[in-house]
Amino acid sequence: MGSNSSKGVGVVENAAAPALKATDAASAGGDKPKCKACCACPETKRARDQCIVENGEENCTKLIEAHKQCMRDAGFNI
Protein backbone atom coordinates (compact mmCIF):
# COMPACT_ATOMS: atom_id res chain seq x y z
CA MET A 1 0.00 0.00 0.00
CA GLY A 2 2.79 2.47 0.79
CA SER A 3 4.13 2.33 -2.75
CA ASN A 4 0.80 3.48 -4.23
CA SER A 5 0.74 6.65 -2.15
CA SER A 6 4.34 7.50 -3.02
CA LYS A 7 3.54 7.22 -6.73
CA GLY A 8 0.74 9.76 -6.29
CA VAL A 9 3.08 12.20 -4.59
CA GLY A 10 5.58 11.85 -7.42
CA VAL A 11 2.90 12.70 -9.96
CA VAL A 12 2.01 15.88 -8.06
CA GLU A 13 5.67 16.90 -7.79
CA ASN A 14 6.24 16.29 -11.50
CA ALA A 15 3.14 18.25 -12.46
CA ALA A 16 4.25 21.24 -10.40
CA ALA A 17 7.80 21.29 -11.77
CA PRO A 18 6.99 22.63 -15.29
CA ALA A 19 4.86 25.40 -13.80
CA LEU A 20 7.74 26.53 -11.62
CA LYS A 21 10.13 26.55 -14.57
CA ALA A 22 7.71 28.64 -16.64
CA THR A 23 7.38 31.14 -13.80
CA ASP A 24 11.16 31.38 -13.45
CA ALA A 25 11.57 31.94 -17.19
CA ALA A 26 8.93 34.66 -17.22
CA SER A 27 10.47 36.50 -14.30
CA ALA A 28 13.97 36.21 -15.79
CA GLY A 29 12.83 38.28 -18.77
CA GLY A 30 11.84 41.31 -16.71
CA ASP A 31 11.62 42.73 -13.23
CA LYS A 32 10.68 40.20 -10.58
CA PRO A 33 7.38 41.07 -8.85
CA LYS A 34 7.85 42.32 -5.30
CA CYS A 35 4.65 40.67 -4.04
CA LYS A 36 2.09 38.05 -4.99
CA ALA A 37 -0.40 38.86 -7.73
CA CYS A 38 -3.27 38.81 -5.25
CA CYS A 39 -1.66 41.64 -3.25
CA ALA A 40 -0.49 43.83 -6.13
CA CYS A 41 -2.36 46.99 -7.14
CA PRO A 42 -5.12 46.93 -4.51
CA GLU A 43 -6.52 50.33 -5.52
CA THR A 44 -7.05 49.50 -9.20
CA LYS A 45 -8.21 45.98 -8.31
CA ARG A 46 -10.86 47.29 -5.90
CA ALA A 47 -12.15 49.88 -8.40
CA ARG A 48 -12.19 47.32 -11.22
CA ASP A 49 -14.04 44.70 -9.16
CA GLN A 50 -16.63 47.18 -7.89
CA CYS A 51 -17.29 48.44 -11.41
CA ILE A 52 -17.71 44.91 -12.77
CA VAL A 53 -20.18 43.98 -10.01
CA GLU A 54 -22.23 47.15 -10.45
CA ASN A 55 -22.03 47.68 -14.24
CA GLY A 56 -20.85 44.47 -15.88
CA GLU A 57 -17.47 43.67 -17.37
CA GLU A 58 -18.23 45.15 -20.78
CA ASN A 59 -18.74 48.59 -19.20
CA CYS A 60 -15.48 48.65 -17.24
CA THR A 61 -12.81 48.26 -19.92
CA LYS A 62 -10.89 51.39 -18.84
CA LEU A 63 -10.60 50.18 -15.24
CA ILE A 64 -9.69 46.65 -16.38
CA GLU A 65 -6.94 47.99 -18.62
CA ALA A 66 -5.70 50.32 -15.86
CA HIS A 67 -5.40 47.34 -13.50
CA LYS A 68 -3.57 45.29 -16.15
CA GLN A 69 -1.11 48.14 -16.67
CA CYS A 70 -0.56 48.46 -12.94
CA MET A 71 0.16 44.69 -12.76
CA ARG A 72 2.64 45.00 -15.65
CA ASP A 73 4.32 47.94 -13.93
CA ALA A 74 4.61 45.79 -10.79
CA GLY A 75 6.51 43.16 -12.80
CA PHE A 76 3.76 40.69 -13.71
CA ASN A 77 3.51 39.30 -17.23
CA ILE A 78 -0.11 39.98 -18.19
Side-chain angles (χ1 to χ4, degrees):
M1 269 197 238
S3 63
N4 287 341
S5 63
S6 65
K7 287 180 183 177
V9 171
V11 170
V12 171
E13 289 173 357
N14 291 338
L20 292 175
K21 290 177 185 174
T23 303
D24 292 342
S27 64
D31 294 336
K32 186 174 180 182
K34 295 175 182 153
C35 61
K36 294 181 181 181
C38 62
C39 301
C41 303
E43 299 85 13
T44 58
K45 182 178 181 181
R46 189 176 304 115
R48 177 206 64 184
D49 291 348
Q50 184 175 357
C51 181
I52 291 172
V53 168
E54 293 175 1
N55 305 309
E57 186 175 343
E58 61 279 353
N59 297 314
C60 301
T61 55
K62 288 184 181 179
L63 290 172
I64 293 169
E65 289 304 315
H67 183 61
K68 286 182 182 179
Q69 187 60 50
C70 181
M71 296 290 284
R72 287 184 198 108
D73 293 345
F76 293 95
N77 186 16
I78 295 182

